[in-house]
Amino acid sequence: MSAVATAPATARLRRLVRSPRAVFGGVLVALAILAAIFAPVLTPYGPNETDFVAVLQAPSGVHPLGTDDLGRDILTRVLFGARVSLIVGVVSVLASLVVGGLIGAVAGYAAGWTDTIIMRLMDVIFAFPSVLLALAITAVLGPSLGNAILAIAVVNLPVFARIARAQTMVVRSLDFVEAKRALGFGPVNILLRSILPNIAAPMLVQGSLLFAAAIITESYLSFLGLGAQPPTATWGNMLRDAIGFLELAPWMAWFSGLAIFLTVLGFNVVGDAMRDHFDPRTT
């Protein structure tokens, strides 16, 4: 049983799946995931397939969302762009969750100078605006999808470290942890088997919220030419390509922007619902 939860986890999970907000957000997230998985079978075109006879065509039966300045099918590029956004979200958030969680747990359990040094370093990273820090990292390392993922992971690192530290400081003083310490269990065993499982819930909730932020940050970087490079289909790249055609072919910006909006909305709504239903202060 969780040391911090005040209600059975199964009951909270049942209440979560019955929440209209969670269902609404879950549907949006599911649509994005399905689009990414089944992109090759949902459209007959390739993401970089050009047709110079069909340049800047408005939405039609042949091209439901129209075409861009190179005759590429926008629906196809939106579907394949979902893959990039979800990969960036999963990899960057998972990396920052694991590394930041371990760093914060070590700081909270060890206390003393270890805690001070680790958290001051996290404070230095946290002091920079997230977008500016991500821009600086990708500008130094060079524009690429991998560097964008690394930049987003670094930006989110202090958030998970702070949460893990705060939760660890609560859990380490509980009776079952004190009992294991008295029985001679080492710090590594206590951290991995007793503390980390009991601080996982708030970390996962925060991860669901930062997933949406990661998608937005990746779109920023791609829009500025610091993320995935052309001709890779990403929503940020599509928005950048649409700048010069907003009056002539506004649909080039409409649908990539709508994809970002709906996906981010879905993850934010799911994250808010998870936070409300797994908050130990709720009953």
Side-chain angles (χ1 to χ4, degrees):
M1 183 177 65
S2 172
V4 297
T6 59
T10 54
R12 292 178 178 272
L13 184 59
R14 285 196 301 268
R15 194 172 67 188
L16 174 64
V17 298
R18 293 172 184 166
S19 166
R21 283 191 304 155
V23 172
F24 172 71
V27 168
L28 294 179
V29 171
L31 288 175
I33 294 173
L34 291 174
I37 293 174
F38 296 106
V41 300
L42 292 175
T43 172
Y45 306 104
N48 300 316
E49 181 180 337
T50 59
D51 182 359
F52 293 107
V53 177
V55 169
L56 298 179
Q57 282 194 355
S60 64
V62 179
H63 299 285
L65 303 186
T67 62
D68 64 9
D69 57 316
L70 297 178
R72 296 174 296 190
D73 183 67
I74 291 178
L75 173 60
T76 301
R77 291 180 65 78
V78 168
L79 293 174
F80 278 87
R83 290 184 164 188
V84 175
S85 293
L86 294 179
I87 288 172
V88 169
V90 169
V91 177
S92 64
V93 171
L94 184 61
S96 54
L97 187 154
V98 172
V99 176
L102 288 173
I103 289 174
V106 169
Y109 185 80
W113 281 106
T114 301
D115 178 30
T116 301
I117 294 172
I118 290 176
M119 295 316 297
R120 293 300 77 76
L121 178 60
M122 292 297 102
D123 288 343
V124 170
I125 299 175
F126 198 72
F128 292 93
S130 59
V131 174
L132 293 180
L133 180 58
L135 288 173
I137 293 173
T138 51
V140 170
L141 298 179
S144 72
L145 183 61
N147 289 339
I149 292 174
L150 175 62
I152 296 170
V154 171
V155 165
N156 291 330
L157 201 62
V159 179
F160 289 109
R162 286 184 167 196
I163 294 174
R165 174 182 179 270
Q167 295 294 320
T168 299
M169 293 179 70
V170 173
V171 175
R172 74 177 182 183
S173 61
L174 297 178
D175 292 340
F176 76 98
V177 176
E178 294 289 350
K180 291 194 69 171
R181 192 180 294 114
L183 290 172
F185 287 93
V188 175
N189 181 283
I190 293 175
L191 279 171
L192 295 180
R193 294 181 175 271
S194 299
I195 291 180
L196 289 178
N198 282 282
I199 68 174
M203 300 282 285
L204 292 175
V205 171
Q206 186 62 43
S208 67
L209 294 170
L210 288 180
F211 204 107
I215 292 175
I216 294 177
T217 304
E218 186 278 328
S219 297
Y220 285 155
L221 296 175
S222 294
F223 181 82
L224 295 173
L226 295 174
Q229 297 300 292
T232 303
T234 73
W235 295 335
N237 281 343
M238 293 176 68
L239 285 175
R240 183 180 60 184
D241 294 340
I243 290 178
F245 303 93
L246 293 179
E247 293 187 5
L248 183 62
W251 54 85
M252 286 181 60
W254 288 346
F255 299 109
S256 54
L258 183 63
I260 295 172
F261 169 74
L262 292 178
T263 305
V264 169
L265 176 64
F267 279 107
N268 276 333
V269 171
V270 169
D272 285 339
M274 289 178 62
R275 180 176 56 193
D276 291 345
H277 286 79
F278 287 100
D279 191 332
R281 293 171 295 182
T282 63
T283 57

